[in-house]
Amino acid sequence: MKLDAAGNVDNTKSKGEPNYQNIKSYAVNGAVHYANALLHHTSYTDVIAIGMTGFRDELGQLQHQISVYYVSKKNLGVGQKVGEYTDLSFLPPPTSIILLKKLDS
């Protein structure tokens, strides 16, 4: 993820224009960008943005990092960091079961 000097997700340029380079290059920035689109173009007022990235460590093992942000109209779409995770176990089980059923069909 690319953060600005204040530690917020850096998705805007100095003139308030979208910073598409960061949005397309960083998973969290893209997730927060699309969460903002939901806020602006639907009736949702609260959105959870999940960005996931992966890399190979020095042993060649695949590692991944998941960052979760809360994006809402209350925080003006800036996004508040919820946490960092190494797997999807933070999702409630019913959601995981529904997702797995969709993937199996």
Side-chain angles (χ1 to χ4, degrees):
M1 82 190 85
K2 179 76 170 169
L3 304 176
D4 63 17
N8 297 316
V9 175
D10 188 11
N11 278 355
T12 55
K13 295 180 180 180
S14 60
K15 295 181 181 179
E17 299 169 351
N19 187 334
Y20 291 116
Q21 184 63 36
N22 289 351
I23 291 166
K24 75 174 188 162
S25 298
Y26 299 94
V28 169
N29 296 65
V32 169
H33 171 76
Y34 288 111
N36 271 290
L38 288 171
L39 291 179
H40 288 73
H41 300 288
T42 70
S43 60
Y44 292 110
T45 57
D46 304 282
V47 180
I48 299 295
I50 301 173
M52 181 175 182
T53 188
F55 61 94
R56 295 212 180 265
D57 65 17
E58 61 278 352
L59 300 174
Q61 298 295 315
L62 184 60
Q63 303 293 324
H64 48 272
Q65 181 179 12
I66 302 167
S67 298
V68 179
Y69 277 75
Y70 171 65
V71 184
S72 73
K73 290 195 176 191
K74 290 180 203 171
N75 64 25
L76 304 176
V78 172
Q80 295 172 302
K81 188 172 186 176
V82 174
E84 299 273 335
Y85 302 91
T86 57
D87 60 36
L88 297 174
S89 63
F90 66 91
L91 293 172
T95 305
S96 302
I97 292 168
I98 291 168
L99 177 63
L100 290 175
K101 284 182 180 179
K102 284 184 178 182
L103 293 174
D104 285 340
S105 58

